[in-house]
Amino acid sequence: MRDLSLHWPGAALVALLAVAPAPGAAFYFPGVAPTSYKKGDLVPLYVNHLTPADSANDPKLRSVFSFDYYHPPFHFCQPDNGPEYVRESLGSILFGDRIQTSPFELKMVENQTCRVLCSTEKFPQRDALFVNSRIYQDYDMNWLIDGLPAAQHLSDPSTDTAFYSPGFALGQVQDENPEFNNHYDIYIDYHEAGPDNFRVVGVLVEPRSNQYPSTPSGNDCNSIDRPVILSESEDNDPVIFTYSVYWRPSPTPFATRWDKYLHVEDPKIHWFSLINSAIIVIFLIGMVSTILVRTLKKDIARYNRLDQLALDDFGDGAVEDGVQEDSGWKLVHGDVFRPPKNPLFLAVLVGNGAQLFMMVGLTIAFALLGFLSPSNRGALGTVIIVFYTLFGFIGGYVSSRVYKFFHGESWKLCFFYTPLALPSIVFSVFFLLNLFVWGRGASGAVPFTTMLILVIIWFVISIPLSFAGSWLGFKQPVIEAPVRTNQIPRQIPPSGGYLRPLPSMALSGILPFGAIFVELYFILKSIWFSKVYYMFGFLFICYGLMIMTSAAVTVLMVYFLLCAENYHWQWRSFFTAGASALYVFASALLYWVKDVSFLSWTSGVVYLGYSLLLSLLFFVLTGTIGFFASGLFVLKIYRSIKVD
Ligand SMILES: *[C@@H]1O[C@H](CO)[C@@H](O)[C@H](O)[C@H]1NC(C)=O
């Protein structure tokens, strides 16, 4: 069940494309080719940032900040010539990685016990305060050895399987005392691929807290006298950092070394949610197709028959009245293609939504094909940026065509707002939140140079592409409305109940949200706990279900709206589908109430800020889906009736 759940959609797709490598064959994606070591070769250990983690006994999120490994208050040992940054991709940096060199010396297949790394100077009380509060907040250390994260060995109680959970504790709280880990037992699984050809296939670290009375050697590291508890009321004695390395032979080949890291927590939940949303979708699609096929056909047949009758007995008032009295969507044919209020704004939103839609879809598809496996660090972030940039073209094209359909006049504004409005909002919020992180002194803030690179990419590639797309869309012929629009707008009869804007949004927004909320929960969790997300098979299906639900529910709502002789479907469809973003935000708040307990208000601000940003993007994305679904629907039904 577990393996199936993780792999089948991906496997099916890969097999479909007939690029499936034979099992065990050496087939690697770029950047993740195996490194071979000879006996005694130095295997570098890189250190990454410290991140808040969910420990088993306290699964709450206590902070949203991450810290550089060499943040001075930690007093971690540095290499002789000072640490150096390891080259990383843009996506990796954006997602928080800060990988640096370390003074550990690991030699392939050579066990070492109790090596002293370094000893700090006196440990000032101010720094002790800092370290202790990080221990209370469950911070994890993140190391990388040959591209593999140093992990903790955990077992999943629900399925009783053991797995490697990346990261290990900075310290632990025992009897109300924060113990600072200063000894690391490093267990490295290696695989012998050939004679004197070794590969790293697994890394576990068991940290310990050990207050050494004198410089340790031999077995001293294992005999714990008392733990290191840093006093916050006076300066502490120096802390000695030590480590041991144990190499363990393993049958796992290099190609599958990530499998034990990619553990699906409780796959039943994912399946349950999938089946659940599939049922909703089937139900909705059933309802929509009933309406489309049965009701509409009947409507159209009746309208056309009445037309015929009216022609036959021209001048017979009774039949005319019959049509007039008959309420229905045909009555608004002279208004349904009347441009909405603020057409520019809607066109820009829809263009941006199309851009997001393409980006998300293609990113998930790419991930499903295995291009974004976690071994390819930062690939996910990089691909998101690349796709978003390139699809600026689509954004421009779509907004321009929609604007033309709305008979828009302010062309230049449409050209400019499409690539500028939403991205600058997103970027400003991102920038402001980063200021907060800077101000906090946490080093998880995105470096200024990375920000600059983003802005340059945006201005040099994305905006010109969007202009080109807008130009192309502008040159296309206008999408013809099948019926003429009357001079004078029709009166809209008051409608009540679920057709009023707020109830209709609340009702219909919950369905697309229902399709994705379980995956959303896991995505949020992996973002806040800086863990890789890899359940792309599930996400792919959920995304598909969400699209179908958004489309179906909006079409349904628009049909009822038109039947109530309300022809303002454009904004309404956008808001109806987009309303699911409200639920996304509500679920972020619920997560806060349930699983988050921040010790500082800055964490809260950053959490809220990113939740709002995510909800905004979700609003634009789902709103666009709703708008296009109902646009197609409206065009289709009015094409099928005859209007004189
Ligand atoms: C290194 O230590 C591990 C774990 O204790 C042990 O299984 C392995 O045999 C040792 N290797 C050598 C070369 O001593």
Side-chain angles (χ1 to χ4, degrees):
M1 180 83 169
R2 190 177 70 87
D3 278 342
L4 192 72
S5 64
L6 183 59
H7 294 302
W8 75 265
L13 210 76
V14 170
L16 213 73
L17 296 175
V19 293
F27 179 77
Y28 304 105
F29 290 106
V32 286
T35 322
S36 298
Y37 298 91
K38 293 192 170 49
K39 189 173 186 326
D41 277 358
L42 213 59
V43 180
L45 188 158
Y46 294 137
V47 291
N48 201 347
H49 57 176
L50 282 90
T51 52
D54 55 340
S55 69
N57 37 14
D58 180 23
K60 285 201 173 209
L61 177 66
R62 304 232 174 243
S63 171
V64 296
F65 300 109
S66 60
F67 292 93
D68 258 6
Y69 185 82
Y70 294 115
H71 195 50
F74 286 121
H75 294 271
F76 287 136
C77 307
Q78 305 197 356
D80 289 340
N81 308 325
E84 281 168 32
Y85 278 101
V86 176
R87 268 187 56 138
E88 294 175 62
S89 64
L90 187 61
S92 176
I93 297 175
L94 271 185
F95 274 55
D97 284 345
R98 303 286 180 276
I99 305 175
Q100 288 172 285
T101 51
S102 79
F104 290 87
E105 281 182 6
L106 316 181
K107 297 206 179 98
M108 183 50 95
V109 217
E110 280 179 20
N111 286 355
Q112 310 177 41
T113 43
C114 208
R115 287 201 46 170
V116 175
L117 200 58
C118 77
S119 167
T120 63
E121 308 285 305
K122 284 232 172 265
F123 212 108
Q125 66 180 96
R126 185 168 38 88
D127 296 346
L129 193 69
F130 174 85
V131 170
N132 285 346
S133 46
R134 297 293 89 76
I135 294 174
Y136 280 119
Q137 290 175 340
D138 292 323
Y139 269 73
D140 258 4
M141 315 251 269
N142 297 285
W143 292 355
L144 291 166
I145 297 177
D146 191 48
L148 275 185
Q152 270 175 316
H153 209 196
L154 296 182
S155 94
D156 185 339
S158 67
T159 51
D160 210 21
T161 42
F163 65 99
Y164 286 23
S165 161
F168 58 92
L170 168 71
Q172 52 278 327
V173 181
Q174 282 300 343
D175 308 324
E176 316 259 309
N177 287 323
E179 301 177 359
F180 182 39
N181 290 328
N182 61 330
H183 172 81
Y184 315 104
D185 274 337
I186 307 172
Y187 294 93
I188 305 183
D189 303 327
Y190 66 91
H191 180 72
E192 195 163 359
D196 204 18
N197 177 355
F198 300 97
R199 287 163 179 179
V200 178
V201 295
V203 180
L204 286 179
V205 173
E206 284 174 10
R208 251 203 312 270
S209 181
N210 203 342
Q211 179 75 57
Y212 302 112
S214 60
T215 307
S217 67
N219 234 354
D220 294 350
C221 291
N222 296 337
S223 50
I224 301 180
D225 186 20
R226 59 196 174 89
V228 179
I229 296 169
L230 299 171
S231 163
E232 295 172 13
S233 53
E234 57 186 8
D235 286 355
N236 294 274
D237 289 339
V239 175
I240 303 174
F241 288 96
T242 54
Y243 66 101
S244 304
V245 190
Y246 304 102
W247 296 85
R248 305 186 299 190
S250 156
T252 312
F254 185 87
T256 59
R257 65 177 189 163
W258 271 92
D259 286 6
K260 51 189 175 297
Y261 286 91
L262 307 183
H263 169 74
V264 178
E265 213 183 309
D266 211 351
K268 274 199 225 94
I269 292 186
H270 297 264
W271 279 111
F272 179 74
S273 87
L274 263 196
I275 293 169
N276 202 18
S277 6
I279 291 175
I280 296 179
V281 167
I282 291 171
F283 175 72
L284 266 176
I285 302 275
M287 234 163 118
V288 172
S289 48
T290 315
I291 287 178
L292 282 182
V293 176
R294 283 236 330 269
T295 323
L296 272 178
K297 246 199 192 131
K298 252 195 325 206
D299 285 352
I300 293 166
R302 194 187 42 175
Y303 286 149
N304 290 342
R305 198 176 57 239
L306 287 175
D307 257 2
Q308 199 57 41
L309 277 176
L311 273 184
D312 290 349
D313 323 81
F314 193 68
D316 186 337
V319 177
E320 278 289 300
D321 287 351
V323 180
Q324 288 301 325
E325 273 163 30
D326 198 29
S327 67
W329 49 268
K330 192 192 174 185
L331 293 177
V332 291
H333 67 81
D335 296 275
V336 74
F337 293 107
R338 192 181 296 288
K341 276 189 205 127
N342 301 316
L344 176 67
F345 191 30
L346 185 55
V348 167
L349 276 181
V350 164
N352 275 288
Q355 186 177 357
L356 281 175
F357 179 79
M358 296 297 290
M359 179 204 85
V360 175
L362 236 74
T363 304
I364 298 177
F366 245 62
L368 204 54
L369 289 175
F371 288 113
L372 311 181
S373 76
S375 51
N376 217 342
R377 228 184 155 73
L380 177 63
T382 310
V383 160
I384 287 179
I385 296 167
V386 168
F387 281 156
Y388 188 74
T389 308
L390 293 184
F391 288 135
F393 184 81
I394 304 263
Y397 180 81
V398 168
S399 80
S400 183
R401 288 213 74 176
V402 169
Y403 194 52
K404 199 162 183 177
F405 178 61
F406 291 158
H407 308 293
E409 309 263 289
S410 326
W411 277 103
K412 283 187 195 135
L413 290 183
C414 184
F415 271 50
F416 275 97
Y417 281 150
T418 305
L420 283 169
L422 186 69
S424 47
I425 293 176
V426 171
F427 189 81
S428 318
V429 174
F430 181 63
F431 189 81
L432 280 178
L433 292 178
N434 246 289
L435 279 186
F436 256 101
V437 182
W438 263 320
R440 192 65 218 297
S443 33
V446 175
F448 187 71
T449 43
T450 312
M451 294 264 190
L452 206 66
I453 291 175
L454 280 185
V455 173
I456 291 173
I457 291 179
W458 178 21
F459 273 92
V460 174
I461 307 177
S462 194
I463 294 184
L465 273 177
S466 172
F467 282 169
S470 291
W471 180 250
L472 194 74
F474 176 61
K475 285 280 142 202
Q476 296 288 314
V478 64
I479 302 162
E480 280 300 334
V483 283
R484 242 179 315 119
T485 300
N486 293 341
Q487 286 287 326
I488 301 157
R490 220 182 117 86
Q491 279 270 321
I492 299 174
S495 61
Y498 60 88
L499 281 181
R500 274 174 297 142
L502 282 181
S504 77
M505 279 169 67
L507 264 179
S508 41
I510 200 162
L511 291 170
F513 172 71
I516 55 145
F517 83 96
V518 170
E519 281 322 299
L520 190 75
Y521 172 77
F522 285 100
I523 292 176
L524 284 181
K525 225 174 131 173
S526 76
I527 290 177
W528 294 120
F529 287 120
S530 318
K531 295 274 146 78
V532 275
Y533 178 88
Y534 40 79
M535 286 162 277
F536 288 105
F538 284 118
L539 189 61
F540 185 74
I541 302 177
C542 284
Y543 190 57
L545 289 178
M546 188 201 78
I547 295 170
M548 287 195 270
T549 333
S550 298
V553 83
T554 319
V555 164
L556 211 57
M557 191 52 77
V558 165
Y559 175 77
F560 291 140
L561 199 69
L562 293 176
C563 284
E565 295 166 42
N566 184 339
Y567 49 85
H568 293 315
W569 60 273
Q570 296 97 335
W571 275 108
R572 187 60 93 79
S573 62
F574 197 93
F575 274 104
T576 302
S580 48
L582 288 179
Y583 290 94
V584 169
F585 188 66
S587 74
L589 290 184
L590 197 71
Y591 183 67
W592 190 353
V593 172
K594 225 173 96 303
D595 285 339
V596 178
S597 119
F598 291 138
L599 301 179
S600 69
W601 63 274
T602 35
S603 276
V605 169
V606 171
Y607 180 87
L608 270 188
Y610 277 115
S611 301
L612 267 174
L613 202 57
L614 186 80
S615 311
L616 172 71
L617 293 178
F618 198 77
F619 170 70
V620 176
L621 173 69
T622 44
T624 302
I625 297 171
F627 174 80
F628 277 112
S630 18
L632 288 177
F633 171 76
V634 169
L635 278 174
K636 193 163 169 52
I637 61 174
Y638 285 94
R639 271 197 191 123
S640 56
I641 54 167
K642 287 197 217 83
V643 178
D644 17 80

